[in-house]
Amino acid sequence: MKALAGMAGLPLLRALRALHPRALTTTAVRSPRWDPPLPSRPPCASSCPVRFLRMSPASCAGHNKWSKVKHIKGPKDEARGRMFMKFGMMIRIAVKEGGSNPDLNVNLAHILEQCRSKNMPKASIDAAVKSAEKAKPALQHMLEARGPGGCVLLIEVLTDNNSRTHQEIKRLLNKNGGTLSDGCRHNFNRSGVVVLPGHNISSEKALELAIESGAADVQETEDEEEKPLLKFICDVADLNKVRVALERQELPVTSSGLEFVPRNYSSLNEDQLEAASALIEALNDCPDVVRVWDNIQADS
């Protein structure tokens, strides 16, 4: 941790610390917090700024709790089939943007890796790529919305009928306590994200790895099976560099790719979380919806 105070670079976003809900009032809350004072900028700040990582246990605990609420919805087989369908749509978008050769299309390569990490059959992956090459033109765009408790949603869609999809999304939002709202995209940054298993890696070690790899932030969270994960967040252009740096530490990278990362979070109570979960589930059930990004965290 001594290296943290002396590292040069851009000011970092806060590093969020995920806590298990049942541990919120136990020793996890009393764990030491490294929170350095922000220094005033010297005249050379533009050329040699100091960057800091700070722990924010409470906020990340809420976001982590929300990740679990999202994951437990729906039978596993049904959720698995829907996930593969969404991967097919993501492949179609990536092929449309950069071609079907993953060696020349970095975004497609990352998506194919995510497919394999989720045990999507190779035959299904190959079929999705071939289908994407022959698919008729479709419109890809992002709808901005607000949901229960004022949370912000980005709804990525792929459609051959923009009017139909827009009306269906609007209907689902109105039915589930949401509304279309321009300007929500400014609450997110499109970033590179490298995901690692979080077993046996302390928060302090995660911070060190983030700085050594060139990541701008690191978040601790959990997957749908409540296994700990570390998400290293970086600029889009630095994605491969950060991944390679982590792999050189002999760390097993689960996946890497581009995501919309919230700049700030909306804190929701239990009732609002349930309503938001129902809304996002309804949106994900829409055939034209690729992914839904949110800035939700649970009240800690």
Side-chain angles (χ1 to χ4, degrees), residues 188-226:
F188 295 83
N189 289 321
R190 195 171 193 227
S191 304
V193 178
V194 182
V195 182
L196 305 179
H199 296 292
N200 303 320
I201 300 179
S202 67
S203 300
E204 290 75 16
K205 180 62 176 176
L207 294 177
E208 292 175 4
L209 289 170
I211 288 183
E212 290 171 3
S213 66
D217 192 8
V218 58
Q219 299 178 357
E220 293 177 298
T221 184
E222 292 180 346
D223 63 13
E224 61 271 19
E225 297 178 354
E226 298 190 7

Side-chain angles (χ1 to χ4, degrees), residues 42-56:
C44 66
S46 60
S47 60
C48 56
V50 177
R51 64 182 197 172
F52 293 94
L53 269 172
R54 294 182 293 172
M55 304 303 295
S56 303

Side-chain angles (χ1 to χ4, degrees), residues 152-166:
V152 179
L153 305 176
L154 291 184
I155 308 164
E156 186 178 359
V157 301
L158 182 68
T159 179
D160 56 4
N161 188 323
N162 190 48
S163 177
R164 178 200 67 208
T165 300
H166 189 276

Side-chain angles (χ1 to χ4, degrees), residues 70 85 89 114 136 178:
K70 289 194 293 186
M85 181 186 73
M89 297 175 74
Q114 292 175 43
K136 62 181 180 180

Side-chain angles (χ1 to χ4, degrees), residues 83-93 115 120 128 132:
M83 177 179 66
F84 289 168
M85 181 186 73
K86 300 301 183 184
F87 274 136
M89 297 175 74
M90 292 163 63
I91 289 171
R92 184 176 174 186
I93 291 172
C115 293
M120 184 173 179

Side-chain angles (χ1 to χ4, degrees), residues 65-66 68-70 72-73 148-149 151 176-177 268-282 296-298:
K65 181 179 178 182
W66 163 240
K68 296 179 187 178
V69 173
K70 289 194 293 186
I72 52 181
K73 292 290 183 179
C151 65
N176 292 278
L268 306 187
N269 61 34
E270 187 173 349
D271 291 340
Q272 292 168 336
L273 283 176
E274 288 298 322
S277 178
L279 170 58
I280 291 174
E281 184 180 16
I296 298 171
Q297 70 179 25

Side-chain angles (χ1 to χ4, degrees), residues 11-300:
L12 293 179
L13 302 171
R14 65 179 183 273
L16 305 177
R17 184 173 188 176
L19 303 174
H20 195 282
R22 64 171 175 264
L24 289 177
T25 60
T26 62
T27 57
V29 174
R30 297 194 296 270
S31 59
R33 171 176 173 172
W34 187 80
D35 196 358
L38 294 177
S40 58
R41 287 197 171 191
C44 66
S46 60
S47 60
C48 56
V50 177
R51 64 182 197 172
F52 293 94
L53 269 172
R54 294 182 293 172
M55 304 303 295
S56 303
S59 62
C60 193
H63 192 61
N64 190 47
K65 181 179 178 182
W66 163 240
S67 70
K68 296 179 187 178
V69 173
K70 289 194 293 186
H71 286 317
I72 52 181
K73 292 290 183 179
K76 285 191 175 181
D77 289 344
E78 180 181 337
R80 179 182 172 88
R82 185 172 65 186
M83 177 179 66
F84 289 168
M85 181 186 73
K86 300 301 183 184
F87 274 136
M89 297 175 74
M90 292 163 63
I91 289 171
R92 184 176 174 186
I93 291 172
V95 169
K96 174 186 174 185
E97 292 178 341
S100 60
N101 185 347
D103 293 332
L104 304 175
N105 186 341
V106 175
N107 190 30
L108 176 61
H110 291 315
I111 292 171
L112 296 183
E113 180 183 47
Q114 292 175 43
C115 293
R116 290 188 286 268
S117 73
K118 294 298 183 180
N119 298 317
M120 184 173 179
K122 184 178 184 301
S124 298
I125 296 175
D126 293 341
V129 173
K130 291 179 180 179
S131 175
E133 292 176 310
K134 302 175 182 177
K136 62 181 180 180
L139 298 173
Q140 174 202 0
H141 57 101
M142 197 79 68
L143 296 176
E144 303 163 275
R146 290 194 177 272
C151 65
V152 179
L153 305 176
L154 291 184
I155 308 164
E156 186 178 359
V157 301
L158 182 68
T159 179
D160 56 4
N161 188 323
N162 190 48
S163 177
R164 178 200 67 208
T165 300
H166 189 276
Q167 289 301 315
E168 177 61 9
I169 297 298
K170 186 176 180 180
R171 183 188 72 81
L172 292 172
L173 288 167
N174 291 339
K175 182 179 178 180
N176 292 278
T179 182
L180 291 172
S181 178
D182 292 337
C184 293
R185 186 165 181 168
H186 298 302
N187 287 276
F188 295 83
N189 289 321
R190 195 171 193 227
S191 304
V193 178
V194 182
V195 182
L196 305 179
H199 296 292
N200 303 320
I201 300 179
S202 67
S203 300
E204 290 75 16
K205 180 62 176 176
L207 294 177
E208 292 175 4
L209 289 170
I211 288 183
E212 290 171 3
S213 66
D217 192 8
V218 58
Q219 299 178 357
E220 293 177 298
T221 184
E222 292 180 346
D223 63 13
E224 61 271 19
E225 297 178 354
E226 298 190 7
K227 295 179 180 178
L229 296 175
L230 291 173
K231 298 177 72 173
F232 291 84
I233 299 168
C234 60
D235 290 339
V236 172
D238 292 335
L239 178 58
N240 284 335
K241 182 187 76 173
V242 171
R243 177 183 176 128
V244 169
L246 292 170
E247 288 178 332
R248 284 175 180 166
Q249 299 280 342
E250 298 185 353
L251 297 169
V253 172
T254 301
S255 66
S256 60
L258 305 181
E259 297 184 10
F260 283 93
V261 178
R263 293 183 176 183
N264 47 63
Y265 291 93
S266 296
S267 183
L268 306 187
N269 61 34
E270 187 173 349
D271 291 340
Q272 292 168 336
L273 283 176
E274 288 298 322
S277 178
L279 170 58
I280 291 174
E281 184 180 16
L283 290 170
N284 277 320
D285 281 339
C286 178
D288 294 336
V289 171
V290 182
R291 285 173 291 193
V292 180
W293 310 97
D294 68 76
N295 75 331
I296 298 171
Q297 70 179 25
D299 283 341
S300 55

